[in-house]
Amino acid sequence: MCYGKCARIIGYSLLPLAVLCIVANILLYFPNGETKYASEGHLSKFVWFTGIAGGGLLIFLPALIFIRIDGDDWVGCGLDSCGKRCTMLSSVLAALIGIAGSGYCAIGAAMGLAVGPLCLDSSNQWNYTFINTEGQYLLDRSTWSECIEPKHAVEWNVSLFSILLALGGVEFILCLVQVINGMLGGLCGYCCTHHQQYDC
């Protein structure tokens, strides 16, 4: 098995996921494409940086490291097989950063779904209308009309937080796979170099 190539594939897989997390999070700032809710501070507390920092920026670092692991110009801890093993073990640290970021993204998105959007309700107050429903509002679309403004706030939040939850979950799994891959590559041998192959 080629641990370096596996790391590279994981890295390339993480890049578009990180970009999608950032885009989904940015869209949460503008319900229905309107900027006034962001400028007035009428956004859910879970909108702030869940996908931008967690699923986005904290995933770029490990992704770029994983992509560079299999390259010939990667020096890592040294040029020989022991150095490549050290490099694979070091990639575990980057994967743990990715696990933390994707976990933050997934947990923040799940909390955003459970609490519901910040919206103007029938009593003309801005609050979390569905906070006491323990997420049951997700199953009862008839209650969504309790949010008067922004229009379709529930659909907007449910759609985008669900996307962030799914993307964060996939990123988490990929980073977890890289932890295992990095441990195996470091302990068993890097393999797949041009002239050598190291097997477990």
Side-chain angles (χ1 to χ4, degrees), residues 56-189:
L57 298 178
L58 284 177
I59 294 297
F60 278 127
L61 173 68
L64 295 174
I65 289 172
F66 302 158
I67 289 168
R68 296 275 320 249
I69 283 177
D70 194 40
D72 290 334
D73 59 340
W74 179 263
V75 177
C77 305
L79 294 172
D80 59 359
S81 65
C82 292
K84 291 198 175 211
R85 285 180 179 202
C86 179
T87 300
M88 287 303 293
L89 285 173
S90 299
S91 76
V92 172
L93 295 175
L96 292 175
I97 291 171
I99 285 174
S102 60
Y104 173 71
C105 177
I107 290 169
M111 300 270 299
L113 282 171
V115 171
L118 178 68
C119 59
L120 187 68
D121 61 16
S122 56
S123 62
N124 211 27
Q125 297 290 320
W126 286 93
N127 59 41
Y128 294 97
T129 306
F130 307 109
I131 196 166
N132 295 322
T133 66
E134 297 176 356
Q136 292 300 315
Y137 78 96
L138 294 167
L139 305 173
D140 187 7
R141 289 183 62 118
S142 64
T143 61
W144 293 7
S145 60
E146 293 176 25
C147 272
I148 297 170
E149 192 180 335
K151 283 191 171 190
H152 309 293
V154 180
E155 292 91 334
W156 189 264
N157 273 26
V158 168
S159 299
L160 293 171
F161 276 128
S162 296
I163 290 169
L164 283 173
L165 180 61
L167 292 172
V170 172
E171 289 173 342
F172 186 90
I173 291 168
L174 287 172
C175 288
L176 189 59
V177 168
Q178 179 53 31
V179 167
I180 296 166
N181 181 53
M183 295 292 286
L184 290 174
L187 298 175
C188 299

